[in-house]
Amino acid sequence: MLEEIYFQVDERAKIAVKIGSKVRKILSDFLLERGFVEIAPVIISPITDPLAHPVFDGEINYYGNKYYLTKSMIFHKQLALLSLEKIFCFSPNIRLELKDLEKTGRHLAEFTQLDLEVRNASREDVMELAEDMLIHLFKKLREECKEELEILGREIKIPSKPFKRISFEEAYNKYGKDYEEMLSKEEKEPFWIIDFPKWKREFYDKEYEDRKGWLVDMDLIYPEGFGEALSGGEREYEYERIVRRMEEKSMNLQAFYAYLQIARIAKFYPSAGFGIGIERLIRYICGFEDIRYTTLFPKIPGKYCI
Ligand code: ASN
């Protein structure tokens, strides 16, 4: 039985988990200090992030109602802003990725996303917040996890602000479809890719008013080939625009009935936010090739894991 189930006891994981618990505390203190309120994670809901890439749905039937395991809390972040101004959550995300992603070293079917959202904020506001947050984290870790980082032989560089930016268009024209990987290998510090086209993303990232087909959003990419760190942007918050964006993607509006009714009647606030993958962040900090060592119980795509 045990040979069939993936379970690891590994020195690297032991160190990474210690670093990880510091990472959560430092990030949480940083956000609380800035006036954010931590909300509890949503695990099941009738609505969840449709995502822009294929995964299996985690579906649950409860008294005849269909619930989904959370793929991201994007919609609940917008809903939470009806009550609170600035929120964050260490949100467990279930993304039942296809087996092809088993060996990327960057994917887990279960991971934690530090997801945050700010009422009336612009993309610029949350980009600056992310830069400050990471610089603060790296500085603190250099002091507080000195021993662990030494064992791993990893020196964390403190990036300088503002982080470099490149537009999706420029990156794609220069490097083609592997733009993210190639740029990530080339760069020495974390950098932004901004302004994705509509076809690349979900319906909820806001489309420019004066630049049809392009979105007010961003990804942060780690250097040294570590790839994507976070995704975020400004949001579509007006009922008619949300419906139009969903229709353009041929989505089933009925499945989002409750969300759309709230958008129409209660009206969402304009907002911006992002989600940063905690295990990917730890992987970068530790300098691991494989994300599985960032956690004690990795869910590797396609594998039977405990
Ligand atoms: N959390 C991301 C965001 O805020 C969405 C995602 O995880 N796909 O935009």
Side-chain angles (χ1 to χ4, degrees):
M1 187 73 168
L2 205 55
E3 301 94 75
E4 293 160 26
I5 302 182
Y6 186 84
F7 172 63
Q8 70 187 14
V9 178
D10 191 285
E11 269 309 300
R12 282 165 290 188
K14 195 169 105 185
I15 297 169
V17 169
K18 280 191 191 163
I19 294 178
S21 82
K22 282 269 190 220
V23 166
R24 286 168 181 257
K25 166 143 181 34
I26 296 166
L27 294 177
S28 151
D29 286 349
F30 174 89
L31 292 170
L32 292 171
E33 186 79 16
R34 294 214 172 193
F36 280 78
V37 174
E38 180 170 10
I39 65 169
V42 171
I43 308 288
I44 58 167
S45 169
I47 56 166
T48 192
D49 195 329
L51 300 180
H53 73 281
V55 295
F56 299 107
D57 275 337
E59 217 176 286
I60 291 172
N61 197 313
Y62 185 51
Y63 282 108
N65 290 316
K66 221 187 254 180
Y67 286 79
Y68 296 97
L69 296 172
T70 294
K71 293 179 198 162
S72 99
M73 267 179 57
I74 182 69
F75 304 124
H76 294 85
K77 291 199 297 180
Q78 277 184 305
L79 292 166
L81 290 192
L82 294 172
S83 307
L84 297 153
E85 261 172 63
K86 296 162 133 191
I87 52 109
F88 73 97
C89 181
F90 285 94
S91 164
N93 286 188
I94 302 295
R95 298 186 184 174
L96 304 173
E97 308 282 359
L98 309 189
K99 201 176 160 41
D100 324 355
L101 299 181
E102 179 186 341
K103 299 217 158 68
T104 62
R106 298 195 304 121
H107 291 89
L108 293 173
E110 177 182 72
F111 66 96
T112 305
Q113 175 160 223
L114 170 57
D115 224 346
L116 63 81
E117 197 74 19
V118 182
R119 209 193 260 179
N120 296 322
S122 66
R123 179 180 67 181
E124 294 304 314
D125 296 334
V126 292
M127 284 171 78
E128 196 179 357
L129 175 79
E131 294 182 4
D132 288 342
M133 188 173 86
L134 287 180
I135 290 172
H136 173 76
L137 173 71
F138 294 162
K139 282 186 179 160
K140 280 277 217 194
L141 287 176
R142 283 228 293 218
E143 296 160 23
E144 294 184 18
C145 291
K146 206 166 179 292
E147 230 172 86
E148 287 81 6
L149 292 167
E150 251 168 45
I151 300 172
L152 295 173
R154 183 81 172 151
E155 203 190 313
I156 315 178
K157 292 180 215 92
I158 311 296
S160 42
K161 230 182 109 179
F163 297 179
K164 217 160 129 178
R165 296 172 179 210
I166 182 167
S167 70
F168 168 87
E169 199 175 15
E170 200 185 331
Y172 195 84
N173 287 342
K174 202 158 164 200
Y175 297 95
K177 66 171 179 34
D178 296 327
Y179 65 93
E180 183 186 304
E181 200 187 330
M182 292 171 75
L183 275 165
S184 174
K185 283 186 179 145
E186 212 174 275
E187 292 297 330
K188 300 279 173 279
E189 292 194 355
F191 63 96
W192 298 103
I193 300 180
I194 58 168
D195 296 348
F196 285 86
K198 231 162 32 174
W199 59 266
K200 263 301 259 180
R201 303 289 260 217
E202 301 86 351
F203 71 87
Y204 49 75
D205 282 1
K206 190 169 167 55
E207 186 174 12
Y208 279 99
E209 307 274 353
D210 53 359
R211 216 182 144 212
K212 283 251 150 301
W214 297 89
L215 306 173
V216 194
D217 60 2
M218 75 287 184
D219 273 2
L220 183 76
I221 314 294
Y222 293 122
E224 303 166 54
F226 284 95
E228 188 196 313
L230 72 76
S231 280
E234 290 180 22
R235 314 300 181 189
E236 293 295 358
Y237 62 96
E238 292 155 306
Y239 173 75
E240 287 78 19
R241 287 180 61 109
I242 297 174
V243 168
R244 195 181 60 203
R245 294 286 306 281
M246 291 178 80
E247 282 173 349
E248 283 169 5
K249 291 219 177 265
S250 311
M251 291 180 63
N252 173 8
L253 298 195
Q254 198 50 39
F256 282 83
Y257 179 76
Y259 172 74
L260 289 171
Q261 288 311 299
I262 297 167
R264 190 171 67 81
I265 297 160
K267 291 197 171 56
F268 292 137
Y269 288 98
S271 71
F274 60 77
I276 178 163
I278 292 295
E279 290 79 0
R280 285 184 176 180
L281 173 59
I282 297 169
R283 171 177 177 248
Y284 171 64
I285 291 164
C286 294
F288 291 161
E289 195 141 333
D290 200 316
I291 198 163
R292 71 180 66 186
Y293 304 116
T294 61
T295 172
L296 295 184
F297 308 110
K299 299 292 182 301
I300 301 157
K303 271 201 179 315
Y304 189 37
C305 303
I306 202 148

